[in-house]
């Protein structure tokens, strides 16, 4: 596994989020936005640069959770500039929650330039030199969030009883 230095987090498009809702990355697990759990994990793993592909409707809320130096934009030119590096870049193509026991699945990593070139020609998650990255549980909706909360509460109770 390469040493990841940066990450791209893809939020749902604003138009895909109901008027009274928010992107799953901004929903809460145990009173904290999922995005804050993601940022903690990435920081602990040495990731120092973050780019959130997030539309204007939720950009300020995302910025309030992300580190101050993170980039938040839905503009291709901004993402393209961020990816102008050979650094290993983690991609979370949907909302995800960090779980050590989650095997490799949908999260992947490749060099920034490799991602940029692949996405420039065809917007796909099928990146030639990408590696699947374990430790990320996909979040599909409220049911997944409830399952995560139940598991975390159970673990907390077990730890308190030891």
């Amino acid at each position: 596994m390469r040493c990841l230095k940066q990450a791209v987090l893809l939020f749902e498009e604003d138009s895909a989020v109901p008027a009274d809702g928010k992107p799953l990355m901004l929903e809460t697990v145990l009173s904290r936005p999922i995005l804050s759990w993601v940022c903690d994990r990435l920081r602990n793993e040495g990731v120092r640069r973050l780019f959130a592909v997030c539309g204007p409707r939720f950009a300020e809320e995302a910025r309030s959770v992300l580190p101050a130096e993170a980039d938040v934009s839905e503009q291709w030119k901004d993402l393209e500039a961020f990816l102008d590096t050979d650094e290993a870049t983690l991609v979370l193509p949907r909302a995800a929650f960090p779980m050590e026991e989650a095997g490799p699945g949908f999260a992947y990593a490749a060099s920034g330039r490799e991602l940029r070139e692949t996405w420039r020609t065809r917007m796909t998650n099928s990146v030639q030199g990408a590696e699947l990255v374990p430790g990320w549980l996909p979040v599909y909706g409220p049911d997944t969030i409830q399952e995560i909360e139940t598991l975390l509460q159970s673990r907390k109770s077990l730890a308190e009883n030891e």
Side-chain angles (χ1 to χ4, degrees):
M1 179 65 171
R2 339 175 185 206
C3 182
L4 299 170
K5 296 296 182 191
Q6 59 182 29
V8 173
L9 315 173
L10 301 175
F11 286 52
E12 299 94 326
E13 291 184 29
D14 283 3
S15 62
V17 179
D20 61 342
K22 59 174 90 177
L24 288 169
M25 288 290 264
L26 297 174
E27 294 290 346
T28 60
V29 169
L30 299 180
S31 304
R32 290 179 52 202
I34 292 171
L35 184 57
S36 72
W37 295 88
V38 169
C39 289
D40 288 351
R41 164 84 177 268
L42 294 174
R43 190 175 15 262
N44 290 340
E45 290 184 351
V47 172
R48 296 294 173 241
R49 295 183 65 221
L50 295 173
F51 191 101
V53 178
C54 178
R57 185 169 150 211
F58 300 102
E60 285 308 310
E61 189 172 353
R63 281 188 186 97
S64 74
V65 178
L66 289 162
E69 65 278 4
D71 294 303
V72 179
S73 176
E74 66 175 356
Q75 299 298 310
W76 169 248
K77 66 177 176 52
D78 298 333
L79 178 57
E80 191 173 40
F82 179 84
L83 293 171
D84 189 18
T85 178
D86 288 323
E87 294 285 353
T89 305
L90 173 71
V91 178
L92 294 180
R94 65 168 304 110
F97 194 83
M99 298 289 276
E100 285 300 320
E101 60 271 31
F106 71 100
Y108 60 95
S111 80
R113 288 190 179 100
E114 189 170 356
L115 291 167
R116 184 184 66 189
E117 293 311 309
T118 299
W119 291 345
R120 182 182 283 160
T121 58
R122 59 191 200 290
M123 193 57 174
T124 178
N125 287 328
S126 180
V127 178
Q128 184 78 26
E131 299 175 39
L132 291 177
V133 178
W136 296 97
L137 182 70
V139 177
Y140 296 108
D143 290 344
T144 309
I145 292 169
Q146 182 59 50
E147 289 171 11
I148 293 168
E149 284 190 327
T150 300
L151 176 63
L152 294 177
Q153 289 169 337
S154 172
R155 287 180 179 174
K156 182 179 178 186
S157 292
L158 284 172
E160 290 171 352
N161 291 329
E162 289 182 347

